[in-house]
Every structure is written in C-alpha cells, then in structure tokens.
Amino acid sequence: MSKNKIVLEVKGLTKQFPGVLANDNINFDLHKAEIHALLGENGAGKSTLMNLIYGLHNADKGEILVNGKTAAIESPKDSIALGIGMVHQHFMLIPVFTVAENVMLGDETVKNGSLDRTAVAARINEISKQYSLDVDPNAIVGSLPVGIQQRVEIVKTLYRNAEIVILDEPTAVLTPQEADDLFRIMRDLTARGVSIIFITHKLKEVLAVADRITVMRAGRVVDTVVPAKTDSAQLANMMVGRQVILTVPKKDRKANGEILKVENVSVRDQRDLETVHNVSFSVFGGEVFGIAGVQGNGQTELSEALTGLRTPTGGKVTIAGKDLTGKSPRIITESGLAHIPEDRQRHGLVLNYSVVDNMALCDYYHAPFSQRGVLQPDALDKNARKLIKEYDVRTPSPFVSAGNLSGGNQQKVIIARELSRDVKLVIANQPTRGLDVGSIEYIHTEIIKMRDRGVAVLLISAELDEIMALSDRIAVMYRGQIVAIVETKKTTREQLGLWMAGVHAERK
Amino acid sequence: MNSRRFGFIAIIIIVLFSVVVSIGKVKQPPLLIVTSMLATTIAVATPLTLGALSGVFSERAGVVNIGIEGMMLTSAFFGWLGAIYMYHVFGFNNGISIVLGLIFAIITGGLMALLHAVLSITFKVDQIIGGTVINILAIGLTGFLNRQLFFGKNSFFGGSVPSSPGVLPTLHIPITEIFAPICSSEACLQGINAINRVFDQKPVAISAILLVFISHYILFNTRWGLRTRAVGEHPKAADTVGINVIKMRYANVIIGGMFAGLAGAYFTIESVPSFEPLLTNGRGFISLAAMIFGNWTPIGAWAAALVFGASQAMLINMQIFRDVIPPQWAFLQESYIVGLTPYILTMFILTGIIGKTTPPAADGVPYEK
Ligand SMILES: Nc1ncnc2c1ncn2[C@@H]1O[C@H](COP(=O)(O)OP(=O)(O)O)[C@@H](O)[C@H]1O
Ligand SMILES: [Mg+2]
C-alpha cells in the first residue's frame, strides 16, 4: 500500500445556503494515513464541506469519491458504512448517557432483545488499549472533562471501524496539554493507517502536525501546501486575503497607579456553588493584566462580580479608590468601567435594537442623548455615525438591527461604545472568541491602544496565545482560584499550560 | 427517580390509608379495608398510569404532549361509539363488540397523536399550542357527535342512547388457587386471599401495570429505548449516527397516543358503559403531573399515579364509613378536601421540595438540521 494512495476525493463540490455560497466548486483530496489540515477563518465553509462529506447536508453539485469509487452519500448512515467518522465542532454526545451508550448509539449490540452493555464495554476497552485512548465505558458522559469527551467521540468513530476521521476544530475547547495529547493520538491513528482531516483556524497547530494544509476562504479553496514550504505569515495571508499582523507590537509598559483592586473576592454561581474562592489581585493603569484558564474555572463569575452583574459573597472590589463591591452595573460603569462581556449577544448588545441605539446603551439617559427624559434622535444618530466611521463597523446603515451584523462587527459595535467613553478600566472577557483573524487583529490593536493611553485593562481569555500576546502580567485561574501571577516575560507557554491544568509547580 | 421520592410517595399512601383504617376499623377488619382500598387505588390509577406512560413515550422522544386529556376523551367516545355500533348495527355479540370498541379506542388515540405529530414534528407548530388544539378539538368533536348521533330529532340513534354491549369483565387471577395449598396457617391463607382481592382487576387495569414494567424495560434496556431517549436528549447527535429523528419521534408520539387511547377505553369500555361530555375531567393533566413527578420514568410515574389513586380511594371509602366518622374528622367527607390532594402534590412537585425533576433536554424543541 503506497502512502500516497488517495482514500477520499472531492470534485467540484458546491453548496448554496440561503444568501451564502458556503462551498464553491471545492476540490480536495486525502491520502492514506496522512493528517490533512483544513485551515480557514470562521465562515470559510470548512464545516459545510465536512458535513457534505459526512452526509449531514447534501451537495448541490459535485461528487465525492471514496477509495476511487463514486460514493452516493445521502445521510450519515452512508458515510459511516463507507468508513468515514466525524468528530463535530460541537460534540454530538448525550450527556445523560454513559460512554458505552453513546458509543453504541445507532450501532447497538443486542442480545435477546436487550442492549448488550458488557460486550460494548469490552469492545471499548479493546479500542482504548489499542490506540491508548483511555476512557471508562461506564462513566456518565456529562460528568467527564471535555478532553475526555473528545476521546469518547474518537472512540465512537473507531468503534464503527472508521478509516477516515474528520476532526472539526478539535482543539478549540482544549488546554495546551490536552491538545498535545490529541496530537499524539492523531499520530497514533495515522500510524495504524487511519487518515485524518484536521480542521482548525490556529496556524501554529497546523504547522506542527499537518502533512498537508489546504486553506479555504469565503467558500473556496485557496491552495494546498506542505508545512515545510510555508510559514504562519503566508498561511494567515491566504486565510484572510491580505497582509495581517499576527502579533500586535507593543511598547514597554509604563504602569502608573493602581486602578482595580480585588481583595479576597468569593462568588457563587446560580446553582449556589462557590465558583470563585478568595481571589485577590490588582490591575494598574497602563498595563494589560491577563487571566488565563480553561473555560469554566470561575472566570465568568469573577467578571460578573467585577462588573456588577452578580453580587460577590465575600471580599471587596475597589475601582480607582472607590469601594464598588456589589454595586449596580450603572454605578460601576459611571465610575469609569468599560465592559466587553463574554457573551456579546446576551450581555453586550440588544440584538433587535438598531446600531444607533446600541451605541448609546451606556449613556442614553444623559445629555446630549436625553433632554428632560426624552431621547434626542439627532444626537443619537450623530454619535452612531461618528463611531461607525471611527471604529470601522461594517454595516449597511446605522439603523440595521445589531442582530443582523456579523460576529466581528457586533463586537466592533461594543468596542466602539465602550472604549470611546472616558474610562479608567477595561474588562474584556473573551473579546475575540469566534472571530476571524482580521477582526482579532483589530480588537487587539484597540486593546493595546487603551493600555498605551494609561488605562488599566483586565483581559480574560481561554486562548493562551491571546493572553501571551497582549498581557504584561498574567494570572492563571484554576477551579476558582488564582494559582499563579507572573510577568509575561518571565514565563512560558508550557508553564502556563501546566498551571491551567492544575499542576501547581510553585504557588505565588 | 431517587429513593427519596419513592419514600415520599410511600409515606403519603400510608397516611391516606391509615386515616381510613383508623376511622373504619369499628366496622370492618383493617386487612379488609386495606385490601379494598388497594384494589380501588389500582383501578382508579389506571387511566392516570396509562396517561403518564403516554406522556413518557412522547416526551422522551422530545415532543411535549399536553393533548393527552383530549386524546383520552376522544378515545373514550369513539371506543364506546364503536362498541355500540358493532353491537346494534352489525349485530356482533356483546363480547366481540366490547373488544372491537377497545380496539377503536386505541386506534383513535393513535390517530389523534398522529395529528399532534404532524403539527409539532412536521409543521413545527409550538407544541403547547398543538396540544391545546388537540384538547379543544376533542371537546368539540365528542360533544358535537354525541349530540348529533344520540340526542337530535333526526339523529342516527333516534333521540335516545341505545343500550351498550356492556363492559369488560373482571379477570380472576388464580393466586389463591395456586398458593393456598402451600399455606399451613390460617393467617397465611387470609393473606393470600387479601392479595387475591387486590389483584382481581379488569383487563385494562391489569395491562396498565404490566405496561409500566414493559415500558420501563423498553426505554432503558433496548435499542428502541436508547434511540428514543437519544432523540429526546440531543436529536442532532442521534442524526449524526444515522438515526432517523423524524421517524423515531413520529413512532413514539403515536405509541403514546395509543396508550392514551387505552386510558380512554378504561372510562367507557371497562369502567362504566356510557359517555358524557368532558368525562375525562382533567385526568389527562393529572397524568402529566404524575409523569413529571416520576421524572419521565414509567415506574416513577406509576408510583405517582398511585398516590393520586389512593386519594380517590380514600374519598370513596369515606363514603362507606360516613356514619362512623367522628365529628372532628367530618371535613374529610367533603370531596374537595381529599380531591385537592393531587393538586397539592403537583404544587409540591413544582416547588422542587422533593428533589428536582429534569425533562429530556430537547423536550419541546422541533428538530432542524
Ligand atoms: N445550516 C446552515 N444554514 C444556512 N447557512 C449556513 C448553515 N451552515 C453554515 N451556513 C453558512 O455557511 C457559511 C460557512 O459556514 P461554515 O461551513 O460553518 O464555516 P466554518 O466551519 O469554516 O467556520 C457561513 O456563512 C454560515 O453562516
Ligand atoms: Mg466550523
């Protein structure tokens, strides 16, 4: 069996969604036992292409060949029968089922009419051993960490004897260590003859693991290259279609007074579990203070407590010398806070309000926007037009409702509203989540601008690269506690990754 | 369902029974009271049990079904009408007419559920609205046909309700016959007789109990059950492993409808051979409460239905002992006092005091690719 045997080939695949040509005449092939990376911005059409191959959607035009033969794939049943397995971007697992139940679903082993859980568990253990994919068949999936859930997804494909495995943005939810573990698993799989399509928008990963790289942009394939003959800058170019700055340059920090002071703050979530324990730190003017950590380690509750969306159960929050513990968001905002919330659609915007109204959400009740309790449309309008221009918001008109903008432009509306005010502190929670390289570049630039102007910036992000690129100092949150605070210059990705995973080499 | 909730159910049933025993013991031996109450409890709980099973199948597959009440009512009517029709028009004998009536009831339930399925699965109508449509349709349809067929001047049956072929007979399960020879003491014999009295029930009541355990087994131990639950929890995940979500949902909603149909048959084919408008009287909704209380499991729902049955049984037995009720207990004769029990229980459930219930994650959400 030659290594370059083509196991999957796609010819002229086209898929039109209402309003978007998601896949435009795509040609793509996959060699036996290779890791073929598919790189592209959000909305480039990567998932659509995979859904066509997997049979979740049907193509308008084009054909799919498996092992050289034209394949009629109309539903996942067909693709599974052809040995194709897919791990979806959003896991397709049933949280209340056990691992064994999830794995066998759709391909159940039955003895005398009832499910043969023992046989399935034995088969899972066999697969676990063979590919060193450790999973407990009897665990309830919802109680497992995401990294393990992903293994369950991979076991699911192997259980069905998949020879082609599609991984759609598998690293988006993983810690760096979990991602490394995944890469090891991927190599184990290819060593045993499995071919892998690996989707991502992270350049570094692609260069590290891929045998070949195909870049997609706006529904088309730009090119297919090999890692040895390319680099991050070129790949970014191909993804975005123009020159992009991957790391925003920044001058040395000129820190001045303490702006945000957090002392022994504890917070409970809606289930009344204490998700933030006794957290203390300070952020100074002119610096970016990053909080790293895997999602769900208390960052959401912490930022809600600091911005007034949730009352802390203990501790003290001081902004520019004023005690603002448990005060309302309006009081905190008026004290000089700009908040870029984690969930831009729920907490950042009123989606069915126009851009004009969204631009004035923080101070619509003041002059000039409001006179004697009556809104002044002219003032609102003028403000919005100015900000749209200044912050380069791409919208057909200021009166379009915010819900109709793309994710990147929605975020720009928030950035414009929050950063154009006279603020002392910026709290940005996951400011670039789900955005494309171009928008990320823009938002990073704006954050650094605020810092250089002397504003204190608290950046919360699960993207380690983002934290490292922007922060002057970094705190790591793990299980509701800050397990380390370090200067960015004095640490490494690996060290941060270990802290994020709860390995406390040293505590500060 | 957790043991805490089963404990809660057991305590309520014991309290209800104790009240009746303590009042009635001057007239009848306690064992007799308990067995007769148990028998009544099981019988009265039958439509609630079947209604709850109807809900379990539908909602486990992800389709909210508040139309159970309407499905029961329609089935009760058409089952009864079918039996009369077979008896008078086609001239079948009593037995065959009754059995055919039973089959009509089940089919009617299935058809009403098919309508709900079309509305909620294919047309993605809001499922609460879909269920309400079923309930209103049921009241209108049965009321109208009842009047037109039986009471009008030129009505089909000439202005009077013809005699019905009767009801299903009580089945005698030969517990005494089998176990009595093994008994050596008088007490043992009495016990066996008592058990026998509890289970001398009619066919729908007996099959309801069997169906509880069969359904539980199907739902949690078979391929069908696994797929049904998958479709109700995360339909997209089921779709990605090649399961036909739409088909599974249709099938389960219709199976649920057939359970509601059997519940309808309980009223007019098994219990009393007559129909009156609105005869189901909210039992479909109590079934839903039982389903929720039972955390969408057949056995749990049955246990909850038994509580509601026990409160009815208490009410009925209070009538028997009305002359010996001490004055300070007199209020218990008022039907609304005991009749409130199911509703108070339902409120308890909703407050979450006796533990949380978790519906299937995709319950009520239409599936879109
Ligand atoms: N089911 C769908 N219906 C309509 N539009 C869709 C659907 N799925 C994806 N799209 C659109 O197709 C385009 C490509 O999306 P997708 O393939 O998910 O991109 P990627 O995975 O590369 O981020 C986007 O504009 C997206 O909005
Ligand atoms: Mg995608």
Side-chain angles (χ1 to χ4, degrees), chain B residues 16 37 41 306-316 338-339 341-342:
Chain B
L16 292 174
M37 261 186 95
T41 301
L306 286 179
V307 176
F308 300 151
S311 68
Q312 288 291 314
M314 176 178 176
L315 199 64
I316 293 165
V338 180
T341 314

Side-chain angles (χ1 to χ4, degrees), chain A residues 17-18 20-23 40-49 51 57 89 168-169 199 216, chain B residues 369:
Chain A
F17 282 123
V20 236
L21 190 53
N23 277 183
E41 293 196 305
N42 278 302
K46 307 178 297 289
S47 297
T48 303
L49 176 59
N51 287 338
H57 293 305
Q89 192 166 351
D168 194 351
E169 308 233 3
I199 300 180
M216 281 184 76
Chain B
K369 267 202 176 178

Side-chain angles (χ1 to χ4, degrees), chain A residues 103 119-135 151-152 154-162 185 188-189 192:
Chain A
V103 169
V120 175
R123 180 79 209 288
I124 292 174
N125 286 331
E126 199 181 295
I127 295 171
S128 298
K129 231 182 250 139
Q130 197 178 346
Y131 296 94
S132 14
L133 279 161
D134 211 11
V135 288
R151 279 190 204 170
V152 177
I154 296 173
V155 170
K156 233 167 105 181
T157 65
L158 299 174
Y159 183 85
R160 289 163 174 73
N161 301 316
I185 292 168
D188 273 2
L189 290 173
R192 284 162 202 277

Side-chain angles (χ1 to χ4, degrees), chain B residues 23 28 31 33 45 67 74 79 112 126-127 138 149 156 159 164 183 190 194 205 210 261 263 274 301 307 343 359:
Chain B
I23 289 171
Q28 283 180 11
L31 184 65
I33 299 177
T74 325
M112 290 296 274
D126 182 297
Q127 293 172 12
L149 290 174
F156 187 84
S164 113
C183 271
Q190 269 183 4
L210 296 179
S274 73
V307 176
Y343 301 98

Side-chain angles (χ1 to χ4, degrees), chain B:
Chain B
M1 209 169 80
N2 55 30
S3 48
R4 184 156 152 232
R5 200 167 310 174
F6 277 117
F8 181 80
I9 286 173
I11 288 170
I12 299 219
I13 293 182
I14 289 169
V15 167
L16 292 174
F17 275 49
S18 310
V19 170
V20 178
V21 167
S22 64
I23 289 171
K25 64 174 182 260
V26 294
K27 256 178 109 172
Q28 283 180 11
L31 184 65
L32 193 67
I33 299 177
V34 170
T35 51
S36 93
M37 261 186 95
L38 273 176
T40 319
T41 301
I42 289 175
V44 177
T46 299
L48 306 178
T49 306
L50 290 167
L53 289 180
S54 170
V56 167
F57 274 91
S58 179
E59 304 214 352
R60 278 287 181 174
V63 180
V64 168
N65 190 355
I66 65 157
I68 295 171
E69 173 82 8
M71 295 177 189
M72 279 188 190
L73 182 63
T74 325
S75 310
F77 178 76
F78 282 102
W80 174 71
L81 179 66
I84 289 180
Y85 214 83
M86 290 299 126
Y87 187 57
H88 287 282
V89 180
F90 287 93
F92 285 111
N93 71 25
N94 295 42
I96 294 182
S97 303
I98 295 172
V99 171
L100 287 173
L102 181 71
I103 294 171
F104 273 115
I106 294 174
I107 293 175
T108 307
L111 288 175
M112 290 296 274
L114 175 64
L115 172 62
H116 185 52
V118 171
L119 290 175
S120 55
I121 303 170
T122 303
F123 292 105
K124 303 186 172 94
V125 173
D126 182 297
Q127 293 172 12
I128 300 295
I129 295 177
T132 308
V133 166
I134 301 279
N135 288 334
I136 294 173
L137 177 70
I139 294 170
L141 189 67
T142 57
F144 175 76
L145 287 178
N146 189 38
R147 212 170 43 238
Q148 290 299 310
L149 290 174
F150 298 108
F151 296 105
K153 253 194 246 107
N154 304 315
S155 63
F156 187 84
F157 288 101
S160 72
V161 182
S163 62
S164 113
V167 292
L168 291 165
T170 301
L171 296 180
H172 177 70
I173 299 172
I175 297 174
T176 316
E177 285 80 343
I178 294 170
F179 291 98
I182 310 168
C183 271
S184 49
S185 70
E186 182 66 16
C188 166
L189 211 58
Q190 269 183 4
I192 299 250
N193 273 323
I195 293 171
N196 210 140
R197 275 197 302 279
V198 172
F199 288 100
D200 270 351
Q201 300 277 356
K202 295 194 167 188
V204 177
I206 294 289
S207 55
I209 298 174
L210 296 179
L211 285 169
V212 165
F213 292 96
I214 294 173
S215 303
H216 207 89
Y217 185 80
I218 288 181
L219 217 42
F220 296 102
N221 282 303
T222 66
R223 171 186 289 162
W224 179 271
L226 190 73
R227 293 185 175 190
T228 299
R229 288 185 293 134
V231 155
E233 290 287 341
H234 192 340
K236 184 124 199 196
D239 195 0
T240 59
V241 290
I243 294 169
N244 189 327
V245 176
I246 305 296
K247 254 193 214 156
M248 285 307 290
R249 287 194 164 175
Y250 260 90
N252 279 291
V253 171
I254 291 171
I255 290 173
M258 289 161 73
F259 277 104
L262 193 56
Y266 167 84
F267 294 105
T268 53
I269 306 282
E270 170 155 306
S271 183
V272 186
S274 73
F275 179 86
E276 54 184 282
L278 307 180
L279 103 168
T280 45
N281 195 17
R283 285 193 193 66
F285 294 109
I286 302 270
S287 303
L288 282 177
M291 171 195 76
I292 296 170
F293 192 102
N295 213 2
W296 286 264
T297 65
I299 292 180
W302 184 50
L306 286 179
V307 176
F308 300 151
S311 68
Q312 288 291 314
M314 176 178 176
L315 199 64
I316 293 165
N317 279 269
M318 282 302 181
Q319 302 301 318
I320 303 173
F321 302 125
R322 42 181 335 129
D323 49 333
V324 293
I325 294 180
Q328 70 270 29
W329 292 83
F331 68 94
L332 287 177
Q333 297 170 70
E334 305 290 352
S335 65
Y336 57 84
I337 296 285
V338 180
L340 270 178
T341 314
Y343 301 98
I344 291 174
L345 272 180
T346 309
M347 268 154 45
F348 258 110
I349 299 161
L350 297 178
T351 55
I353 291 173
I354 26 193
K356 266 214 180 99
T357 54
T358 354
D363 200 7
V365 189
Y367 179 58
E368 324 229 16
K369 267 202 176 178

Side-chain angles (χ1 to χ4, degrees), chain A residues 1-8 30-33 67-68 195:
Chain A
M1 217 180 307
S2 96
K3 178 139 181 159
N4 280 352
K5 185 183 159 230
I6 292 176
V7 288
L8 174 78
L30 178 67
H31 294 165
K32 173 105 186 147
N67 292 321
S195 318

